[in-house]
Amino acid sequence: MRIRVLATPVVLGLALAACASDPNVTDRYSSDFDRLTEQCRARGGILSPTGGTTGRPQTEYVCEVRGQTGRAPSG
């Protein structure tokens, strides 16, 4: 019983390390980030970090559009 209790954190740590070093996860993040960057630049903006760490660039970055947006003023 004692060995099981001591081994559990080690096994969980190895499992998490294997997931974190998966190249498919890194490639997907990079491709999502690149796509998000292109969409933001097309709108005339720049990506800014939100400060969160979620593993998804859509929630970790926002597109800031500064200056004129090309819309007519209302009212």
Side-chain angles (χ1 to χ4, degrees):
M1 177 72 170
R2 186 175 201 138
I3 293 173
R4 189 181 311 167
V5 172
L6 294 175
T8 300
V10 173
V11 171
L12 289 175
L14 291 173
L16 288 173
C19 291
S21 63
D22 184 6
N24 293 330
V25 172
T26 304
D27 291 343
R28 180 165 183 180
Y29 185 93
S30 295
S31 65
D32 286 350
F33 181 80
D34 292 342
R35 181 181 44 81
L36 188 64
T37 301
E38 290 175 26
Q39 290 174 348
C40 185
R41 285 184 183 160
R43 294 173 42 204
I46 57 169
L47 285 184
S48 296
T50 62
T53 304
T54 62
R56 297 182 60 225
Q58 299 88 339
T59 56
E60 294 178 359
Y61 294 89
V62 293
C63 182
E64 289 187 19
V65 180
R66 297 181 180 169
Q68 294 191 1
T69 60
R71 294 184 179 180
S74 60

